[in-house]
């Protein structure tokens, strides 16, 4: 199915990322501007909080509280006070690295990746946060980790190698052990770069394509089922939400666009929306 995305919210994010639907609102971040956002589509309100470091993602914990992926590691984030409390340090021996993208599994564990902020060195790793303990998943290092996306049953994990233009799928055990990966999808030069990925209620994989002008959905067997066209080039990640879980929201980015490209894409960095047939997975919270 071919869909055209509609403009939903003016943000002008340098690097919009990590959208997630929590308690009837859309949360997302601007990594480079070090901001966490909350948007209420019902009222049009847009709130934001400054982060002390680049922030790759924000995920819900107990009601009203979140875990945020700051450059140095995951932190507890309280929107009521705007405070950030460190949980654990990550890649402390790699000062050029930062946290990039994350997802929750049904047990409440957070799976997140790191990356070289200069997008060159193969220093990005996939980690698991279980309570306050961070463990290396054992997945191969890459320059830019994205996703991961986790199936509704919690038995498959999709790991995105953005620069390598490849997604691997790994078996995921109930105890959090990640099995050996095999290729799920590869992308060509004219596709753009696979960016953030999520799974819907049927295990379909949605992903944004950076420099690709599209978002796509693939069935669990790798079949392309949906293509969404955008008026901007850099689509970073999709969230599914709304009252029925069938409203998609997409973050986008201005990063990497020169003055000519920005003039041609005045909506770059904004939030876009479209409707889907398959709803979101049931909501999860960090343990």
């Amino acid at each position: 199915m071919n869909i055209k995305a509609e403009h939903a919210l003016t943000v002008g994010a340098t690097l919009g990322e990590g959208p997630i639907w929590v308690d009837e609102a859309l949360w997302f971040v601007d990594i480079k501007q070090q901001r966490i956002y909350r948007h209420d589509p019902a009222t049009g309100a847009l709130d934001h909080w400054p982060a002390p470091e680049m922030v790759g993602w924000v995920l819900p914990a107990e009601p009203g509280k979140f875990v945020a992926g700051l450059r140095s590691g995951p932190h507890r984030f309280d929107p009521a006070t705007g405070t950030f409390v460190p949980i654990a340090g990550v890649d402390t021996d790699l000062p050029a690295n930062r946290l990039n993208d994350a997802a929750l599994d049904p047990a409440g564990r957070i799976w997140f990746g790191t990356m070289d902020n200069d997008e060159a060195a193969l220093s990005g790793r996939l980690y698991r946060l279980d309570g306050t303990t961070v463990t290396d998943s054992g997945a191969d290092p890459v320059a830019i980790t994205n996703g991961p996306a986790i199936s509704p049953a919690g038995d498959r994990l999709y790991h995105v190698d953005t620069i390598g233009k490849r997604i691997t799928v790994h078996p995921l055990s109930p105890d959090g052990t990640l099995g050996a990966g095999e290729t799920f999808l590869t992308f060509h030069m004219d596709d753009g770069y696979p960016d953030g990925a999520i799974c819907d209620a049927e295990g379909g994989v949605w992903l944004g394509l950076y420099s690709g002008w599209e978002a796509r959905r693939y069935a669990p067997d790798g079949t392309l089922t949906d293509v969404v066209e955008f008026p901007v080039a850099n689509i970073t990640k999709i969230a599914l939400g709304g009252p029925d879980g069938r409203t998609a929201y997409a973050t986008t980015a201005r990063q990497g666009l020169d003055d000519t490209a920005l003039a041609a894409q005045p909506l770059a960095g904004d939030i876009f929306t479209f409707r889907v047939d398959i709803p979101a997975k049931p909501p999860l919270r960090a343990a």
Side-chain angles (χ1 to χ4, degrees):
M1 183 169 64
N2 283 66
I3 309 167
K4 288 190 180 295
E6 299 179 356
H7 186 259
L9 180 68
T10 299
V11 181
T14 301
L15 185 53
E17 257 291 7
I20 187 167
W21 185 260
V22 181
D23 297 335
E24 306 306 317
L26 179 72
W27 292 76
F28 60 98
V29 303
D30 184 342
I31 296 175
K32 298 295 186 176
Q33 296 298 321
Q34 300 181 194
R35 285 184 174 183
I36 295 172
Y37 286 91
R38 179 188 183 275
H39 171 55
D40 182 346
T43 65
L46 179 65
D47 301 311
H48 67 82
W49 294 260
E53 304 168 5
M54 285 187 284
V55 53
W57 45 268
V58 59
L59 293 172
E62 63 267 29
K65 304 295 176 64
F66 292 81
V67 180
L70 299 191
R71 179 170 187 162
S72 60
H75 285 58
R76 293 182 178 88
F77 166 57
D78 184 351
T81 60
T83 55
F84 295 82
V85 178
I87 295 173
V90 177
D91 287 354
T92 55
D93 59 330
L94 298 170
N97 268 22
R98 65 171 175 83
L99 273 61
N100 191 48
D101 201 3
L104 284 161
D105 71 16
R109 294 174 292 235
I110 297 176
W111 296 80
F112 66 93
T114 59
M115 63 169 282
D116 173 23
N117 194 47
D118 293 326
E119 304 180 4
L122 297 178
S123 59
R125 295 276 186 175
L126 179 65
Y127 293 99
R128 181 183 75 239
L129 175 65
D130 194 347
T132 60
T133 302
V134 173
T135 304
D136 190 328
S137 71
D140 292 339
V142 298
I144 300 178
T145 60
N146 259 301
I150 298 174
S151 64
D155 59 353
R156 304 179 87 190
L157 182 147
Y158 300 87
H159 182 214
V160 183
D161 175 0
T162 296
I163 296 296
K165 294 197 167 191
R166 178 172 177 254
I167 300 178
T168 56
V169 58
H170 299 254
L172 181 57
S173 299
D175 67 358
T177 302
L178 194 68
E182 61 182 39
T183 298
F184 176 65
L185 293 170
T186 56
F187 297 85
H188 301 291
M189 186 60 65
D190 56 358
D191 288 326
Y193 294 88
D195 207 310
I198 63 166
C199 286
D200 60 25
E202 291 188 355
V205 179
W206 278 100
L207 73 150
L209 288 166
Y210 204 96
S211 298
W213 302 81
E214 289 180 355
R216 297 178 185 173
R217 180 188 185 271
Y218 292 87
D221 65 0
T223 301
L224 178 63
T225 63
D226 298 86
V227 175
V228 185
E229 299 174 359
F230 287 75
V232 297
N234 299 332
I235 295 79
T236 54
K237 193 169 184 178
I238 306 299
L240 299 178
D244 61 359
R246 290 183 168 89
T247 298
Y249 295 94
T251 47
T252 66
R254 298 168 64 87
Q255 177 179 272
L257 301 178
D258 61 20
D259 289 344
T260 300
L262 287 171
Q265 302 175 47
L267 303 180
D270 289 354
I271 302 295
F272 292 80
T273 189
F274 54 94
R275 293 284 290 170
V276 300
D277 291 333
I278 310 302
K281 297 187 300 181
L284 301 171
R285 293 185 183 272

